[in-house]
Structures are given as structure tokens and as C-alpha cells.
Amino acid sequence: MSILCVGSVALDSVETPSAKAERVLGGSAVFFASAATLFNPVQLVGVVGDDYPLDQLDFLARRGADLSGIEEREGKSFFWAGRYYNNLNSRDTLATELGVFADFQPKIPAQFRDSRYVFLGNIHPQLQHDVLDQVESPEVVACDTMNYWIEGSREPLVSLLERVRILMVNDEEARQLAGEPNLMKAARWIRERGPEIVIVKKGEHGAILFADDWLFFVPGFPLEEVFDPTGAGDAFAGGFMGHLAAAGSLDTADLRRAMVYGSVMGSFAVERFSVDRLIDLPTDAIEARMKQFREMTAFETHAVVEQRV
Amino acid sequence: MSILCVGSVALDSVETPSAKAERVLGGSAVFFASAATLFNPVQLVGVVGDDYPLDQLDFLARRGADLSGIEEREGKSFFWAGRYYNNLNSRDTLATELGVFADFQPKIPAQFRDSRYVFLGNIHPQLQHDVLDQVESPEVVACDTMNYWIEGSREPLVSLLERVRILMVNDEEARQLAGEPNLMKAARWIRERGPEIVIVKKGEHGAILFADDWLFFVPGFPLEEVFDPTGAGDAFAGGFMGHLAAAGSLDTADLRRAMVYGSVMGSFAVERFSVDRLIDLPTDAIEARMKQFREMTAFETHAVVEQRV
């Protein structure tokens, strides 16, 4: 079952303390699909200008992405430029040129409307509503958002929560949305407004999944070189949703695995510019990193000898 | 085998957004011992003034702490006052009155000198050297420190690393000590100077243990109410060292369990003022929280049905 993904398809220029990339593949839908297609087919919906190097998305098509929902319009593609500092935890936005994305009105192609898995990338909450209006019977709807919408478009965002099963936000966004500094309480506030599952992303500190009566914690993968943090959150979402759709299950064990697959994909994404690390990433490398996550977190509450007593 | 613990024995006045405590038990040695004695006997070395309510430490003696190394001198006890804000992640120090602690010269009583487990609380690195000079054959030496010593007493601190098997610092201190923003590299820098094991504490984000060719991550326990964060790091150290000494082992499985016991004790410590939560803490509660940590982090890399294929 394909995952319908709606989000930005952009070009990014990124500067880090050690290197620079000009007009490379970016945008939430592109990062999401680059991770998710390693697990499960994806249907992409977005808009690009006539300057977009669509041939560079061929690797997605080869992995089972259906790109027929990417509308090509006259004008410029969404362009973002940013510069990272120090240990890459702070950044300045140097440019945000919306281009044709400014009046993006997602049109879900007829052949995508029976999708049961939907990922709503970080776009205006009203557009996220519009997407869901066009999908016949969405079952697993995951949604990303950001402080900009929490501040400026609170009403459609809060009403969207009723239609969303999984909300993914970072810790500051969760606190801001709920108006509550304690993360546990903030997650409960959000869950009471709709989502069964709230995933709070904490960057290098990992991510927490909050469900009804349980939670699951996955650490960030400790890397000696974080090359470019752009897109890590969307790659996380791609690994997470990719696993869920492939497993066809939202049971506890699969939600836990999905969290780790998400963290695995986020950790790969930051190792190179753009989606470069995800293009030829072998399945073996993904599974090997899964095992590293397990080794990093597994413990027995008692020594085996005590258990035998 | 008792753990020798040298550190401050203090009085704290603490204000949080919701409550206030005046001149309650505090200091690194007191927090450490309050956690560690739930696992293993502790020998305490410190200094107090004639204003110290030593009878309030009776609960430690009842749990197997030897308090005969706490010197009582004329004058005032070390006093610290602080105020916490918002979600308790920021604080102001309102007063630091060293009192008799200002010329603390740790004297290790003869009956403590054969200790093999030693915890050096956060005091001047030269005093930490002096402690080790008095211990006959220390085997497992763990050491805490802080930015103040990293900046002002770098030389004795760096030479101390050669004598320390386990260094416990927070993430900013690790970066500062190594002059390296990347945590993995900072931990390696520190390990190259002596400690086999570096534990980086990240407050609510948990803690990481770095060893030769492996690492272990434990999350912070998500609490709906963090009441008073004072002493969480020392309670962590107490749970960690307490388990290691009780197990009599530094093997990988016990180091992992020790990390979780440390996190468990840190999470209890912050639930009340001072060491209040640790005074009557039942073993059952500790073991129950251990299990909660396991449930919060455990996952299988593959569904069981796939493993059977």
C-alpha cells in the first residue's frame, strides 16, 4: 500500500562550517520520499517551477515512487538557503523564495485518492485539510508542522489534529502548541485533541513516541561528523511511515521499530548534503544501524544468574 | 565492599515556581550517599560547621553509611541557595557561602583507606588528587567535576584524569574540557587522557556511557512534575556506583544496568526537595522504575514471525 506524501519539493543551498552545496534537492516531500521508498512505495504530490531538475528524482521512481502528482508550473521552484554554525545546532536562514510554492493548491490525482497511509509534510494547515478532503478513506494520517503555523494559523491546525492519527513535532513546537512547558503534559494536551500518537523529535537527543498508556524513547545516533542537518526530521518521518506501511501494522512492536527506523534514516540523512546519502543506501547498512541502535540501548534488568534463582 | 565518597555536605535553600525549602540537606556527598546506600554501604568524608543537623543523616547510617569521616568544625556549613524558573531547566544561584568548606582538606580515616571503590564528588581537582594519595589501592575511581574547575584548574584536572577510571560530566563540560563541540570526539579526547569510561549527563535528555568500542544510552525518565532538579547528577552517580559496587563487576551488562540505576535514582531525586524522596524509597519502587526504563527503550529489530523464517 503506497504512502501518499504531500509537501515541498525544493532546491536548497546549504553552507556548513566545512563545505557548501548549491541548489541541491530539498523539501519535505523529497526528504520523506528518499527515506520512505527504501521501505515502501510512495506517491508524491507537490509543485515545482520550470527550473527544477526533475531528472534528479529518477532514483525515487526507480524505487517505486509515483511522481505523477508533482505539478510543473511556469516560474521558480521553492528555494531555501541556510548557513549552519559550530556544532551544527544553530542556523541562519539566508533566503526563502517561495516561487510557485506560494500558491500551491495540492491536487490529489484520481489514482492516489484511495491511499490509506498519508504523510502531510510541513505546509499550511489549511492545505493539509484540503489534502485530506480529497482522500477517500485515509487510515493512517501523519502530520508535521512548525512554529510558523502554530503561531499564525493556530485554528486550522488545532482542527486538523482531529483528523490526524500521528503528529510529529519537535520539543519546542510541542510545548508551544500546548502552551505547556512539561513535555509529558504537552503530549497529553495534543493527544486529547485527536492524535493517538504524538512523536516529539529532539534532534541530537533523539525522539519520544507518546501513546495512550505507554511511551517509547529512541536516542539520536551519535555521529562524529554531522555534515548537514537539513531534512533530518523528514527523513525520520520517511523511515517511520515507510516501516509502518511495509509492516501493515500499527501494533506496539511495529511502532517501536518504526521509531528506530526513523532515527536510522535521520542519522543517515545528516551524513551528506541533500538526500545524497539516501540515494544508494543499501538495505544492509540500514539493518546494521538498527542493530547498533539496539546495542546502544539494550539492557537486562537483572543478571541472568539472578533470574535463575 | 564500601564505596568511599568525598564531597560537599551542605545546606541548600531552594525556590521553585511552586514551592520553597529552607536550609535542607544538600551537597554532592549527601545526594550521592542517599542514592548509593540503597545498593551498597558508603563511607563518607566531608566537613560541616557546628550548625549542621547531623542527626538528619541518621537514615544514611541506618542504611550502612559510615559517617565517621565527616569532620565537624567551628563555623558555618557550606550553604547554597538557588531559584529555578519555568520548566526548571534554568536557575539562578542566589548565594554560595563556603563556610568551613573553604579550607576543606579531606582526611581519609585509617579504616577507609583500603577502599577499592571511590567517588570523588565535585571539589577542587587538587583535593581530588589528595584523596587518591591517601587511598591504598583504589580500583574503581569515579570522578565528577564542573565548568568552574575546567576553566580555573585545568592542569590538576587533566592530570587527575590519568588516575580516574570513570569520569562523569555533563555535555557542556565534556565539550569544554576537550575543546571539541562534537560529543563523540570530546568523549574520545577525554578517554585518551585516562578514563576507560566517560559518562556524559544530559539532564532531561538522559546520559551516554562511552567505553572503548561501545556506548550505551539511557534516556531521562519523563516526569509530569520535576519538583527540584538539585542533586540529580549526584543521585545518578550514587545509583551508578552503588550498583557497580554491589555487583562487584564492571562488565558490560553491569555497566549498562548501572547507567539505568543511575537514571532511576536521578529521576526519584527530582521528585521532591533535597534527598526527601530517597529517604524511605522502597526497593520495589526502584525495580519497578527499572522495568519502566526497559519498556521505554526495548524493541526487537525484526518481527518474531520474520525471525522464524
Side-chain angles (χ1 to χ4, degrees):
Chain A
M1 188 68 186
S2 283
I3 306 165
L4 172 63
C5 161
V6 183
S8 56
V9 180
L11 294 171
D12 290 346
S13 286
V14 180
E15 279 178 57
T16 68
S18 56
K20 204 169 167 172
E22 295 278 357
R23 299 177 71 76
V24 291
L25 296 181
S28 60
V30 172
F31 276 103
F32 178 90
S34 299
T37 51
L38 289 159
F39 300 84
N40 198 77
V42 170
Q43 299 163 329
L44 275 167
V45 172
V47 63
V48 296
D50 46 26
D51 57 349
Y52 204 82
L54 281 169
D55 58 315
Q56 290 183 31
L57 298 180
D58 283 351
F59 76 98
L60 290 176
R62 282 196 300 274
R63 288 212 296 245
D66 186 333
L67 308 178
S68 61
I70 299 182
E71 195 186 339
E72 213 182 339
R73 290 179 50 188
E74 256 181 60
K76 299 226 170 195
S77 298
F78 185 3
F79 172 72
W80 177 84
R83 185 185 288 144
Y84 290 89
Y85 298 96
N86 304 321
N87 53 351
L88 304 179
N89 282 326
S90 59
R91 78 175 183 197
D92 279 342
T93 289
L94 304 177
T96 306
E97 297 164 12
L98 292 177
V100 297
F101 192 67
D103 8 74
F104 178 42
Q105 293 291 339
K107 278 183 283 294
I108 311 303
Q111 70 275 21
F112 291 179
R113 293 189 180 180
D114 62 349
S115 293
R116 299 203 331 257
Y117 289 82
V118 181
F119 176 69
L120 303 170
N122 174 25
I123 57 178
H124 193 299
Q126 189 51 58
L127 298 185
Q128 295 176 317
H129 272 288
D130 296 346
V131 169
L132 293 182
D133 290 343
Q134 298 172 63
V135 180
E136 288 154 17
S137 47
E139 279 173 32
V140 183
V141 179
C143 170
D144 188 12
T145 191
M146 72 186 292
N147 52 359
Y148 184 76
W149 310 120
I150 295 171
E151 286 157 25
S153 307
R154 189 175 182 80
E155 209 175 308
L157 178 58
V158 170
S159 68
L160 183 74
L161 294 179
E162 294 169 29
R163 309 177 74 181
V164 162
R165 199 150 165 197
I166 303 166
L167 183 75
M168 300 185 182
V169 282
N170 71 32
D171 42 358
E172 276 322 302
E173 289 158 359
R175 293 185 171 107
Q176 191 182 15
L177 178 56
E180 165 58 55
N182 180 285
L183 214 50
M184 293 279 281
K185 290 184 186 169
R188 196 171 56 206
W189 186 98
I190 296 167
R191 290 189 66 257
E192 283 167 359
R193 271 141 197 92
E196 252 173 75
I197 290 161
V198 174
I199 295 172
V200 176
K201 297 173 288 182
K202 307 197 296 172
E204 62 166 326
H205 301 302
I208 312 184
L209 179 149
F210 294 91
D212 49 354
D213 59 351
W214 60 280
L215 53 82
F216 179 73
F217 190 96
V218 62
F221 190 74
L223 292 165
E224 292 224 0
E225 299 291 346
V226 175
F227 193 80
D228 171 15
T230 314
D234 292 304
F236 177 98
F240 182 88
M241 288 293 281
H243 174 72
L244 288 187
S249 146
L250 252 72
D251 71 22
T252 307
D254 277 307
L255 285 168
R256 286 165 184 259
R257 271 193 284 279
M259 284 289 282
V260 188
Y261 277 119
S263 211
V264 164
M265 298 317 294
S267 74
F268 280 123
V270 304
E271 289 183 355
R272 307 244 183 100
F273 276 129
S274 181
V275 295
D276 288 0
R277 184 70 174 100
L278 307 179
I279 291 178
D280 295 315
L281 188 64
T283 307
D284 285 0
I286 297 173
E287 295 304 322
R289 192 158 288 183
M290 276 297 273
K291 288 205 182 94
Q292 286 179 287
F293 268 93
R294 194 155 195 287
E295 281 160 23
M296 216 164 79
T297 56
F299 69 95
E300 297 301 326
T301 51
H302 293 88
V304 172
V305 61
E306 288 177 84
Q307 287 179 331
R308 282 183 193 143
V309 170
Chain B
M1 188 68 188
S2 283
I3 306 165
L4 172 63
C5 162
V6 184
S8 55
V9 180
L11 293 170
D12 290 347
S13 285
V14 180
E15 281 180 54
T16 69
S18 56
K20 202 169 168 172
E22 295 277 356
R23 299 178 70 77
V24 291
L25 296 181
S28 60
V30 171
F31 276 103
F32 178 90
S34 298
T37 51
L38 289 159
F39 300 84
N40 197 76
V42 171
Q43 299 163 330
L44 275 169
V45 172
V47 64
V48 295
D50 45 27
D51 57 348
Y52 204 82
L54 281 170
D55 58 313
Q56 290 183 29
L57 298 181
D58 283 352
F59 77 98
L60 290 176
R62 282 195 300 274
R63 287 211 296 244
D66 186 334
L67 308 178
S68 61
I70 300 182
E71 195 187 341
E72 214 182 338
R73 289 179 51 189
E74 257 182 57
K76 299 227 169 192
S77 299
F78 184 5
F79 172 72
W80 177 83
R83 186 184 288 146
Y84 290 90
Y85 298 97
N86 304 321
N87 52 350
L88 304 179
N89 281 326
S90 59
R91 79 176 182 196
D92 280 342
T93 289
L94 304 177
T96 305
E97 296 164 13
L98 291 177
V100 297
F101 192 68
D103 14 71
F104 177 43
Q105 293 291 338
K107 277 182 283 296
I108 311 303
Q111 71 275 21
F112 291 180
R113 294 188 181 181
D114 62 350
S115 294
R116 300 206 326 260
Y117 289 81
V118 181
F119 176 68
L120 302 170
N122 174 23
I123 56 177
H124 194 299
Q126 189 51 57
L127 298 184
Q128 295 175 317
H129 272 288
D130 296 346
V131 169
L132 293 182
D133 289 343
Q134 298 173 63
V135 180
E136 286 154 18
S137 47
E139 278 173 32
V140 182
V141 179
C143 170
D144 189 13
T145 191
M146 71 186 293
N147 52 0
Y148 184 77
W149 310 120
I150 296 170
E151 285 158 24
S153 306
R154 190 175 181 80
E155 208 174 311
L157 178 59
V158 170
S159 68
L160 183 75
L161 295 178
E162 295 169 27
R163 309 178 73 180
V164 162
R165 197 146 164 201
I166 303 166
L167 183 75
M168 299 185 183
V169 282
N170 72 31
D171 43 358
E172 276 321 301
E173 290 158 358
R175 294 186 171 108
Q176 191 183 14
L177 178 56
E180 166 59 54
N182 180 285
L183 215 50
M184 292 281 281
K185 290 184 186 169
R188 196 171 57 207
W189 187 98
I190 296 168
R191 291 188 65 259
E192 284 168 358
R193 271 140 197 93
E196 252 173 76
I197 290 161
V198 174
I199 295 172
V200 176
K201 297 174 290 184
K202 307 196 295 173
E204 62 167 326
H205 300 304
I208 313 182
L209 179 149
F210 295 91
D212 48 355
D213 59 350
W214 62 279
L215 53 83
F216 180 73
F217 189 97
V218 63
F221 190 74
L223 291 165
E224 292 224 0
E225 298 291 346
V226 174
F227 192 80
D228 171 15
T230 314
D234 292 304
F236 177 98
F240 182 87
M241 288 294 281
H243 173 72
L244 288 188
S249 145
L250 253 71
D251 72 20
T252 306
D254 278 307
L255 285 168
R256 287 165 184 261
R257 270 193 286 279
M259 284 288 283
V260 188
Y261 277 118
S263 211
V264 164
M265 298 316 295
S267 74
F268 279 122
V270 303
E271 288 183 356
R272 306 245 183 99
F273 277 129
S274 179
V275 294
D276 288 0
R277 186 69 175 100
L278 307 179
I279 291 178
D280 295 314
L281 188 64
T283 308
D284 284 1
I286 298 173
E287 294 305 322
R289 194 158 288 182
M290 275 298 273
K291 289 206 182 92
Q292 287 180 288
F293 268 93
R294 193 156 196 285
E295 280 160 22
M296 217 165 78
T297 56
F299 69 95
E300 297 301 326
T301 51
H302 292 88
V304 173
V305 61
E306 289 178 82
Q307 287 179 330
R308 282 183 191 147
V309 169

